[in-house]
Amino acid sequence: RSIPRGHGHRLREHNQPVPAAARPRWVVLLSLSLVALNLRMALSSVPAVVADIQASTGWSDAQIGLLTTIPVLCMGAFALVVPRMARRIGRAATVAVALGLLVVAMTARLASETPGVLPLTAFLAGVGIALAAGLVPGVVREQLPDSVGAATGLWTATMMIGAALGGALTVPLAAALGSWPAALAVWAVPAALALVVWLLVEGRRASGPAASTHDAPSPVRIAELPWRSRPAWSLTAYLLLNSIVFYTALAWLAPSYVDRGWSQEDAGFLLGLFTASQVLAALLMPALADRMAARRALYAATVLVVAASLVAIAWFPDVLTIVVVIVFGAALGGVFAMGLALLSEFASDAAGSARLTAMAFAVTYLLAAFGPLAAGVLLDAFDSWPLVFALMAAAAALQLLTIPALRRGVRID
């Protein structure tokens, strides 16, 4: 049917960009997935070549742990900045800046043997990851309100695919190129590709005169975050404990098996399996939880599998190693993906999602960042892998205390 001339004029006035909801679903999912692919490569590629880094630099385990602690710390510190920056320059431009930082950080790793370069690239990568990841729950809530679980699962799965590629392929790339810094720098290529595609898909949305505010969440003020909400704290603690386990495992799983007699290439492949196994779980678990009447039982069961897997890695590392690592990764990824889905589900609107996400990400990443560093300090002091993985199992088990508050029907403003 034709639209009356007056109404058509009002729809076009102010030269506003096409509403996000009018864009095809596959375009939204494609653009988000390409961003997600790059958000863990910077983290997973470094642990794969820890032996080479220590041989070149003489760093201690605590210093190696800092290479994971720094970006995760940035992810927490910049979580509160994301909505304000998106409001100022627009969501599309903020994501473009994030991808640009990742390109710069990965390219600079060509000079990794120069003192100070690796920590600096870890910082830049952490800022880039924070800027991109902090916008996703709000994007999903706003543009795909009827597919929150499935969209979150796809985002998380793609992110884990990127982590798997970084973990599994960095050592073979180092052998092929004859240089571990060059292997780390290769991961600038997918970041550059994602940036080009993002600009092509989102460029028009970022160019309109109203774009800087039309598609961006309101600035988040610390005082306005849901500090007094018990479900918000329960969800934050749930994600915090999961992240402590994930980032500590990401930093130290491969080096632990190198110490136990595995080659660096095989240990890197094991790290790739750990992250790749999270892909299917990330796709399936949020959607499965949506359909379950007693979904908190699923949360609890998955957490127990994570804890049991860590106990096996701690004391029985040579028993069904590949099976245990795959199960561990799948369960851990499922726990994380279900938690991300709740960031969108529990919010009453996109602004509420931005506030809840800012609180959860700030607290989670600021505290979880110290997991890899603490593990490195313990290794320097006690040289005990069973101690490190047993403490990770205890952290996973503590998640059980957070689950009762994660019931259906919660709304956090």
Side-chain angles (χ1 to χ4, degrees):
R1 297 177 181 178
S2 62
I3 300 175
R5 181 174 300 176
H7 291 284
H9 175 74
R10 283 194 293 272
L11 285 174
R12 291 189 299 270
E13 67 183 4
H14 305 308
N15 194 30
Q16 290 184 347
V18 178
R23 297 156 67 215
R25 180 185 301 266
W26 72 267
V27 173
V28 177
L29 292 175
L30 174 64
S31 58
L32 291 178
S33 296
L34 286 173
V35 173
L37 185 69
N38 289 278
L39 296 189
R40 291 297 180 267
M41 284 178 172
L43 301 179
S44 65
S45 55
V46 170
V49 289
V50 160
D52 289 334
I53 294 173
Q54 289 185 309
S56 297
T57 64
W59 285 6
S60 68
D61 288 334
Q63 289 172 303
I64 290 293
L66 275 173
L67 295 180
T68 302
T69 289
I70 289 171
V72 180
L73 196 61
C74 290
M75 288 158 63
F78 284 85
L80 299 177
V81 176
V82 173
R84 186 173 298 277
M85 183 172 176
R87 187 71 180 174
R88 182 176 297 273
I89 69 173
R91 178 182 289 136
T94 301
V95 175
V97 170
L99 291 171
L101 285 172
L102 287 171
V103 172
V104 171
M106 298 300 96
T107 303
R109 285 183 172 174
L110 279 169
S112 290
E113 293 178 297
T114 303
V117 168
L118 269 178
L120 176 61
T121 64
F123 172 80
L124 293 175
V127 175
I129 293 168
L131 293 179
L135 293 174
V136 173
V139 173
V140 171
R141 179 69 175 79
E142 179 183 277
Q143 299 189 25
L144 302 168
D146 299 326
S147 307
V148 168
T152 303
L154 178 61
W155 161 271
T156 310
T158 309
M159 188 166 58
M160 295 308 171
I161 289 173
L165 293 174
L169 298 183
T170 300
V171 175
L173 283 169
L177 297 172
S179 166
W180 62 266
L184 292 177
V186 163
W187 302 114
V189 175
L193 176 62
L195 176 59
V196 170
V197 172
W198 180 265
L199 291 174
L200 290 174
V201 172
E202 299 286 344
R204 283 194 304 167
R205 283 168 51 78
S207 62
S212 63
T213 58
H214 180 78
D215 69 338
S218 299
V220 172
R221 297 174 177 84
I222 294 177
E224 296 175 349
L225 302 185
W227 301 115
R228 298 183 180 181
S229 168
R230 181 171 176 254
W233 274 112
S234 295
L235 179 54
T236 298
Y238 174 92
L239 290 169
L240 167 62
L241 293 165
N242 175 267
S243 294
I244 289 173
V245 173
F246 173 74
Y247 288 109
T248 307
L250 189 67
W252 293 112
L253 183 67
S256 76
Y257 278 93
V258 171
D259 272 3
R260 290 161 170 172
W262 289 51
S263 70
Q264 189 170 237
E265 184 170 0
D266 288 343
F269 177 72
L270 194 66
L271 179 63
L273 283 179
F274 162 67
T275 51
S277 65
Q278 299 179 48
V279 174
L280 187 60
L283 285 169
L284 296 180
M285 296 298 277
L288 177 61
D290 280 347
R291 291 170 171 78
M292 287 187 63
R295 68 179 183 182
R296 285 179 294 181
L298 178 63
Y299 298 164
T302 312
V303 164
L304 288 173
V305 171
V306 171
S309 300
L310 285 164
V311 169
I313 294 171
W315 282 290
F316 310 102
D318 297 322
V319 177
L320 299 174
T321 302
I322 291 178
V323 173
V324 170
V325 168
I326 289 175
V327 170
F328 170 44
L332 192 65
V335 171
F336 178 65
M338 290 187 292
L340 281 186
L342 294 180
L343 289 175
S344 297
E345 178 189 318
F346 282 3
S348 55
D349 53 26
S353 178
R355 289 190 293 271
L356 178 59
T357 300
M359 173 182 165
F361 281 9
V363 174
T364 291
Y365 294 133
L366 282 173
L367 297 180
F370 293 98
L373 176 61
V377 171
L378 288 172
L379 288 168
D380 284 335
F382 300 103
D383 193 25
S384 173
W385 290 113
L387 174 63
V388 169
F389 285 104
L391 289 175
M392 291 166 63
L398 284 175
Q399 281 184 280
L400 294 172
L401 301 178
T402 71
I403 291 174
L406 306 181
R407 64 186 184 279
R408 292 185 186 276
V410 170
R411 283 294 177 267
I412 302 171
D413 295 323

